[in-house]
Structures are given as C-alpha cells and as structure tokens.
Amino acid sequence: IRDRWKHYWDTERQWRTTSRLSVMMSRDNGSGYFDYERALFREQVRWKNGEWTISAGARLGWYRYLRQKIGAENRYRSYALLDCRAERMLGRYWMLFAAGEHEWSDSNDPRDNYQSWQVSTGIGVEY
C-alpha cells in the first residue's frame, strides 16, 4: 500500500510539500527467514525559484522481521533520516548540487544500531 500527497502552497508553485505513507510486506520464496513487514512515512518541503531548488526532508521507518529472532523476540529495526539538498541550474541541462543526510538506526540487534552522516557535492546533467 502506497500513498503520496503533493501540495503547492503558493500560486507561483515555488513552495511544495510532499507526504508519503507506505506499508509493505516482503516474503521470500524459501524458508521465510527474510520475511519482513515495513511501514514508512516521509515528509519533504521544496522551494524552487528559477535556477535554484532547495529541499529538506524527514523519513521514519519501521521493520518487523517475522522469523529472525534476537533472544526470545522477533528482530525489529526502526530508523529516522533527515536530509537536505541545494541545486543551481547552469544552463538548460547542467547543475551544481550539494546534499547531506543524517540517519539514526535502532534495533534489538546490536549490529543494526548506528548513526551515519553522508555529504556529497558535484555536477549533474539532466536531459
């Protein structure tokens, strides 16, 4: 099940929010060891004006594994992610961009507990 709602907040369509909610069940075709259920919520705000586009978002996710055990309970994992991105168009096809994201993961499996930063910048092309 997946649903997305986009809304423009001004008549020039510069400000937009996007909300997304999805629920997924994944089943392997074998023992079921990799079967899980996932819920995801994402919210993004974007501003676009001429050559500039700036966006920021947040994502929350929950996984529940049906057959994997951590001690006596089923394995679970939840995460939160914040991201932001700035783009500047250079002509019709080329762009400069900078982006960053921070993720937190929590689980009853100690190997799934972490925090991470990712930062990138570069030149892109869109046809």
Side-chain angles (χ1 to χ4, degrees):
I1 301 168
R2 180 183 292 184
D3 203 3
R4 182 180 355 203
W5 177 62
K6 288 184 182 180
H7 183 75
Y8 289 93
W9 293 93
D10 58 337
T11 56
E12 295 83 24
R13 298 172 68 96
Q14 291 179 326
W15 288 96
R16 180 184 82 189
T17 55
T18 305
S19 303
R20 179 178 163 196
L21 177 65
S22 69
V23 177
M24 182 176 82
M25 297 184 319
S26 178
R27 304 292 185 256
D28 69 29
N29 60 358
S31 67
Y33 181 76
F34 295 102
D35 291 356
Y36 65 85
E37 296 170 347
R38 182 198 76 187
L40 170 73
F41 176 73
R42 178 170 172 82
E43 185 67 32
Q44 182 186 50
V45 60
R46 185 194 78 172
W47 175 80
K48 187 171 184 166
N49 185 356
E51 293 85 25
W52 286 96
T53 302
I54 299 173
S55 63
R59 185 171 34 194
L60 302 171
W62 299 270
Y63 288 82
R64 185 172 71 97
Y65 295 85
L66 303 180
R67 298 204 182 221
Q68 295 182 31
K69 298 286 187 185
I70 302 297
E73 63 183 1
N74 285 5
R75 179 179 165 216
Y76 69 84
R77 177 177 172 256
S78 60
Y79 70 93
L81 187 138
L82 298 175
D83 63 73
C84 60
R85 181 179 174 101
E87 295 179 5
R88 171 104 167 56
M89 292 301 293
L90 304 172
R92 187 171 176 179
Y93 301 109
W94 294 90
M95 79 174 89
L96 290 173
F97 70 89
E101 70 178 38
H102 187 68
E103 181 178 4
W104 299 264
S105 179
D106 181 51
S107 174
N108 59 349
D109 183 347
R111 296 170 293 185
D112 278 343
N113 293 325
Y114 63 88
Q115 290 188 40
S116 70
W117 276 100
Q118 181 176 331
V119 177
S120 60
T121 186
I123 299 172
V125 62
E126 285 188 6
Y127 296 97

